[in-house]
Amino acid sequence: MLNELLASRNLPPLKSRGEMLEILQREVYGFLPPKPDSVSFDVEKDTIRRFCAGKADCDRVTVKCSVAGGEFSFPILATIPNDRTKGKYPFFIHINFRPDNPDRYMPTEEIIDNGFALISLCYTDITSDDGDFTDGLAGVLFPGGKRPADGAGKIAMWAWAAMRALDYAETLGDILDLDRACVCGHSRLGKTALFTAAADQRFAFAYSNGSGCSGAAIQRGKSGETVADIVEHFPFWFCENYYKYAGNEDEMPFDQHYLPACIAPRRVFVGSASEDAWADPLSEFLSCVAASPAFEKGIVCPDRLPETDDKFPEGDIGWHIRPGMHYFSRLDWQRLIEFINLHK
Ligand code: GCU
């Protein structure tokens, strides 16, 4: 039944990772900003020791980059379990809405208690979430605020910053398990997390939560938010080439299943919420089914419509749907941790 449902969506076939990534950059997100010429890290002296009841340390780190002929710096927080007898820690790079630690979308102590380290960044420390292309990294990349039709949109800039957070993690290779890095985020930052891992093969895992339109969800036949809606309200998340697909999804030489497919052969877990009609859980799920052939082990699920509270973590691409609203909740984190632990 799922095959028939998918056939009715008329998706373009999968291509090679290189081709899909090129199309997604040119037509949707804009090309990633260039790799920095140099990156260095200032670890602040007032690091919080004995964080989370003494189980972790939290360092505030300034990431300093020379990029595109300019200089750009931003803060990240590295919260790392301090028990050095437990081996190397798998870790999350969480692109968050706020700099708070913990935060309502980030139950830090629970993450630490599960044996993970956590590097978090606040997206507006990179560039503003609006049409101002003179702000932060955008101003360095596009002096005068002018960008080409395939120039990086804000999502691509936030993704670039998550890659720099991974550059920092690489300096901690004796503490962090660099083969088990997971980039994650919610909603617009779930779109960002998928794009980050699609473009940067150092990430072994990606998790998007409620990423919906222009994230995990396929656009053809999608309910809730459409390309026309998103480019009307948030054109700056994308490159200008994307705007022509407003009301014109059938003309797209791609669909959003290309995004998780670019993460293969690594692993991706997609989270939906039952009341998140704007994101459209069914189209997020079908996207995972459509991307499955790109993976060694595609999604493992029954051949029926999904039901609330389904979770399908066994494949290299997995999906779950939590009851409730659009939110990055504790249950989402628990299922994400379960997914990563399953794929050792
Ligand atoms: C809006 C937008 C979504 C986005 C969400 C968010 O609802 O339409 O595409 O995911 O904001 O980031 O919270």
Side-chain angles (χ1 to χ4, degrees), residues 29-45:
Y29 305 101
F31 282 91
L32 262 181
K35 270 198 175 166
D37 299 315
S38 67
V39 194
S40 62
F41 308 100
D42 278 359
V43 182
E44 249 180 43
K45 289 203 179 64

Side-chain angles (χ1 to χ4, degrees), residues 97 187-188 191 225 230 234 237 278 326:
F97 287 88
S187 206
R188 68 201 66 183
K191 309 180 209 297
E225 188 173 30
I230 207 165
F234 307 101
W237 288 350
W278 190 236
H326 187 68

Side-chain angles (χ1 to χ4, degrees), residues 5 53 71 85 135 159 178 206 226 263 315:
L5 199 56
E71 301 297 322
T85 65
D135 180 78
L178 299 175
T226 62
I263 300 172

